[in-house]
Structures are given as structure tokens and as C-alpha cells.
Amino acid sequence: LPTLCVAVNPDGSRLVVGGGANGSPATLTCLDLRTGRPLWTHERENEPNWPYSAVDFSPDGRQVVGTCGKRELNVLNAGSGLIVFETAALPDPGLAARYSPDGSWIAAAGVGKPAGIRVFESQAGKRLPTIDTDLRWVRKLDFRKDGKLLAAAALFGVRVIDTASGQT
């Protein structure tokens, strides 16, 4: 299957790869980096079939977040690959997801109809206020180490956002 996203856990011992293709499930596979042995695989049937297009480990390495499906954000237990929670609260296909440096929340974005970065509490998936932005087709999110700034890279630009105020 085509691979569209990868993430290495904080201690460097595991790799999660994600992807999928038309006619097959969206798939995340966790590998032991020392042996290359698969530890678990998570498959997600969805309509229409959208692959996993973003994946990230929580800072403590206990969870994995992935975006797949037309509007899904899935958080899995990094040890077992079992779903911790899932939400269909994205308004469009999710293309980017990232844990905050303290692990307390997850930022997710995508096609941008409507534009904005969706924010979720990381333990139970409670929806938090959206960060307003004019960006569409956000493909990458990344935080400054202290969590005070969030960078969003999109097809037509980059924005750096103050996470406390939500201002660009």
C-alpha cells in the first residue's frame, strides 16, 4: 500500500507508518525499529476510502494520533494499536495532526472547508475552540518546543500562530 505518513516514537524504538489506497482500508502499522518486526496493524474501513495521511506520537510515546477517512481523527494506544477515542468532528479530510509538546492537546487541519485548525483534548477527544486561519490544504503542523507557537504549512502559504491568543 502507498505510504503517506510516518512517525518515530520519542525514545526511537518504534516507527508508525500510515497510508492506504482506493479499494483497501486506511492502515497504520507499528514496527520495532531494532528488528523491523511489525508490532501491530490498525485498519480502518471508511467511505469514501481515504488513507491515513498524518500520524504523530504523543510526547510520552503512549498514544498515536492519525487522520483518515473523510472527517476522522483517531487516537490509538501506541502499545496495542487499539482505539482510545475517535472523532468525526473534522469538517473535511484531515491531512495534518500534531500533539502539543506537553501532550495535553492535538491540533488537526486539512482541506480547509471551512478553514481553521481543529483542536482536541488528547485524553478523551473533547473538542476545544478552533484556531482561526485562512489556510486551506494544510499538510503539516509543528510546534515550537515550548508550545507557544504553532506553524501550519499549506499549499498556498505558511502561518505561525500564537497558541495562547490564536493570533497569526
Side-chain angles (χ1 to χ4, degrees), residues 83-136:
I83 290 281
V84 175
F85 69 84
E86 57 193 12
T87 178
L90 300 176
D92 54 28
L95 303 174
R98 186 66 122 178
Y99 278 92
S100 63
D102 68 2
S104 65
W105 57 286
I106 300 166
V111 173
K113 293 182 180 181
I117 298 170
R118 278 46 183 192
V119 180
F120 301 88
E121 182 274 327
S122 66
Q123 295 307 308
K126 178 185 173 191
R127 181 81 186 269
L128 301 172
T130 297
I131 297 171
D132 291 324
T133 179
D134 62 342
L135 289 179
R136 295 184 186 271

Side-chain angles (χ1 to χ4, degrees), residues 117 133-135 142 150-154 156-161 168:
I117 298 170
T133 179
D134 62 342
L135 289 179
D142 206 358
L150 172 65
F156 300 109
V158 175
R159 302 287 183 274
V160 178
I161 299 155
T168 299

Side-chain angles (χ1 to χ4, degrees), residues 11 16-17 24 74 76 107 116 127 149:
D11 72 8
V16 170
V17 296
S24 65
N74 299 309
L76 293 80
R127 181 81 186 269
L149 297 176

